[in-house]
Coordinates of all heavy atoms in Angstrom, one line a residue:
E1 N 0.8 -1.2 0.0 CA 0.0 0.0 0.0 C 0.9 1.3 0.0 O 0.6 2.2 -0.8 CB -0.9 0.0 1.2 CG -1.8 1.2 1.4 CD -2.5 1.2 2.7 OE1 -2.9 0.1 3.2 OE2 -2.7 2.3 3.3
E2 N 1.9 1.3 0.9 CA 2.7 2.4 1.0 C 3.6 2.6 -0.3 O 3.8 3.8 -0.7 CB 3.6 2.4 2.2 CG 2.9 2.4 3.5 CD 2.1 3.8 3.7 OE1 2.3 4.7 3.0 OE2 1.3 3.7 4.7
A3 N 4.0 1.5 -0.9 CA 4.7 1.6 -2.1 C 3.9 2.2 -3.3 O 4.4 3.1 -4.0 CB 5.2 0.2 -2.6
F4 N 2.7 1.9 -3.4 CA 1.8 2.5 -4.4 C 1.5 4.0 -4.0 O 1.4 4.7 -5.0 CB 0.5 1.7 -4.5 CG 0.6 0.5 -5.4 CD1 0.8 -0.8 -4.9 CD2 0.7 0.7 -6.8 CE1 0.9 -1.9 -5.7 CE2 0.8 -0.4 -7.7 CZ 1.0 -1.6 -7.2
E5 N 1.4 4.4 -2.8 CA 1.3 5.7 -2.4 C 2.5 6.5 -2.8 O 2.4 7.6 -3.3 CB 1.0 5.9 -0.9 CG -0.4 5.4 -0.5 CD -0.7 5.5 0.9 OE1 0.0 6.2 1.7 OE2 -1.7 4.9 1.4
F6 N 3.7 5.9 -2.6 CA 4.9 6.5 -3.1 C 4.9 6.7 -4.6 O 5.2 7.8 -5.1 CB 6.2 5.7 -2.7 CG 7.4 6.2 -3.3 CD1 8.1 7.3 -2.9 CD2 7.9 5.6 -4.4 CE1 9.2 7.8 -3.4 CE2 9.1 6.0 -5.1 CZ 9.7 7.2 -4.6
K7 N 4.5 5.7 -5.3 CA 4.4 5.7 -6.8 C 3.6 6.9 -7.2 O 3.9 7.7 -8.2 CB 3.9 4.5 -7.4 CG 3.8 4.4 -8.9 CD 3.1 3.1 -9.3 CE 3.0 3.0 -10.9 NZ 2.1 4.0 -11.4
T8 N 2.4 7.1 -6.6 CA 1.6 8.2 -6.9 C 2.2 9.5 -6.7 O 2.2 10.4 -7.6 CB 0.2 8.1 -6.1 OG1 -0.5 7.0 -6.4 CG2 -0.7 9.3 -6.4
E9 N 2.9 9.7 -5.6 CA 3.6 10.9 -5.4 C 4.7 11.2 -6.3 O 5.0 12.3 -6.7 CB 4.1 11.0 -3.9 CG 3.0 11.0 -2.9 CD 1.9 12.2 -3.0 OE1 2.4 13.3 -3.6 OE2 0.9 12.1 -2.5
M10 N 5.4 10.1 -6.6 CA 6.6 10.2 -7.6 C 6.1 10.6 -8.9 O 6.7 11.5 -9.6 CB 7.3 8.8 -7.7 CG 8.5 8.9 -8.6 SD 9.2 7.2 -8.9 CE 8.0 6.4 -9.8
E11 N 4.9 10.1 -9.4 CA 4.4 10.5 -10.6 C 4.0 12.0 -10.6 O 4.2 12.7 -11.6 CB 3.1 9.6 -11.0 CG 3.5 8.2 -11.4 CD 2.3 7.3 -11.5 OE1 1.2 7.7 -10.9 OE2 2.5 6.2 -12.0
D12 N 3.5 12.5 -9.5 CA 3.2 13.9 -9.3 C 4.5 14.7 -9.5 O 4.5 15.8 -10.2 CB 2.5 14.2 -8.0 CG 1.1 13.8 -7.9 OD1 0.5 13.4 -9.0 OD2 0.5 13.9 -6.8
V13 N 5.6 14.3 -8.8 CA 6.8 15.0 -8.9 C 7.3 15.1 -10.4 O 7.7 16.2 -10.8 CB 7.9 14.4 -8.0 CG1 9.3 14.9 -8.4 CG2 7.6 14.6 -6.5
L14 N 7.1 14.0 -11.1 CA 7.6 14.0 -12.5 C 6.7 14.8 -13.4 O 7.2 15.2 -14.5 CB 7.7 12.5 -13.0 CG 8.7 11.7 -12.2 CD1 8.6 10.2 -12.7 CD2 10.2 12.2 -12.3
S15 N 5.5 15.1 -13.0 CA 4.7 15.9 -13.8 C 4.5 17.4 -13.4 O 4.1 18.2 -14.2 CB 3.3 15.3 -13.8 OG 2.6 15.4 -12.6
Y16 N 5.0 17.7 -12.2 CA 4.8 19.1 -11.8 C 5.9 20.0 -12.3 O 7.1 19.6 -12.6 CB 4.9 19.3 -10.2 CG 3.5 18.9 -9.6 CD1 3.4 18.1 -8.5 CD2 2.3 19.5 -10.1 CE1 2.3 17.9 -7.8 CE2 1.1 19.3 -9.4 CZ 1.1 18.4 -8.3 OH -0.1 18.2 -7.7
T17 N 5.6 21.3 -12.4 CA 6.7 22.3 -12.6 C 6.6 23.3 -11.4 O 5.7 23.3 -10.6 CB 6.3 23.1 -13.9 OG1 5.0 23.6 -13.8 CG2 6.4 22.2 -15.1
A18 N 7.7 24.1 -11.3 CA 7.8 25.0 -10.2 C 6.6 25.9 -10.3 O 6.0 26.2 -11.3 CB 9.1 25.9 -10.4
P19 N 6.0 26.4 -9.2 CA 6.6 26.3 -7.8 C 6.0 25.1 -7.0 O 6.3 24.9 -5.8 CB 6.1 27.6 -7.1 CG 4.7 27.8 -7.8 CD 4.9 27.3 -9.2
Y20 N 5.2 24.3 -7.6 CA 4.6 23.1 -6.9 C 5.5 21.9 -6.8 O 5.2 21.1 -5.9 CB 3.3 22.7 -7.7 CG 2.4 23.9 -7.9 CD1 2.1 24.4 -9.1 CD2 1.6 24.4 -6.7 CE1 1.3 25.5 -9.2 CE2 0.8 25.4 -6.9 CZ 0.6 26.0 -8.2 OH -0.3 27.0 -8.3
V21 N 6.5 21.8 -7.5 CA 7.4 20.6 -7.4 C 8.0 20.5 -6.0 O 8.1 19.3 -5.5 CB 8.5 20.7 -8.5 CG1 9.6 21.7 -8.2 CG2 9.1 19.3 -8.7
D22 N 8.4 21.5 -5.3 CA 8.9 21.4 -3.9 C 7.9 20.7 -3.0 O 8.3 19.8 -2.2 CB 9.3 22.7 -3.4 CG 10.6 23.3 -4.1 OD1 11.3 22.5 -4.7 OD2 10.8 24.5 -4.0
E23 N 6.7 21.1 -3.1 CA 5.7 20.5 -2.2 C 5.5 19.0 -2.6 O 5.3 18.1 -1.7 CB 4.3 21.2 -2.4 CG 4.3 22.6 -1.9 CD 3.1 23.4 -2.2 OE1 2.1 22.7 -2.6 OE2 3.2 24.6 -2.2
A24 N 5.5 18.7 -3.9 CA 5.4 17.3 -4.4 C 6.5 16.5 -3.9 O 6.4 15.3 -3.5 CB 5.2 17.3 -5.9
V25 N 7.7 17.0 -4.0 CA 8.9 16.3 -3.5 C 8.8 16.0 -2.0 O 9.2 14.9 -1.6 CB 10.2 17.1 -3.8 CG1 11.4 16.5 -3.1 CG2 10.5 17.1 -5.3
D26 N 8.4 16.9 -1.2 CA 8.2 16.7 0.2 C 7.2 15.6 0.5 O 7.4 14.7 1.3 CB 7.7 18.0 0.9 CG 8.7 19.0 1.1 OD1 10.0 18.7 0.9 OD2 8.4 20.2 1.3
R27 N 6.1 15.5 -0.3 CA 5.1 14.5 -0.1 C 5.7 13.1 -0.6 O 5.5 12.1 0.1 CB 3.9 14.7 -0.9 CG 3.0 15.9 -0.3 CD 1.6 16.0 -1.0 NE 1.6 15.9 -2.4 CZ 1.7 17.1 -3.2 NH1 1.8 18.2 -2.6 NH2 1.7 17.0 -4.5
M28 N 6.5 13.2 -1.6 CA 7.2 11.9 -2.1 C 8.2 11.4 -1.1 O 8.2 10.3 -0.8 CB 7.9 12.2 -3.4 CG 8.6 11.0 -4.0 SD 9.5 11.3 -5.6 CE 10.8 12.3 -5.0

């Protein structure tokens, strides 16, 4: 379950652009 939650956050990091990427990285 946690691995899939990580995957979701990683996908967000790979799709975001600044300024939101820092927040996404923190969640990842």
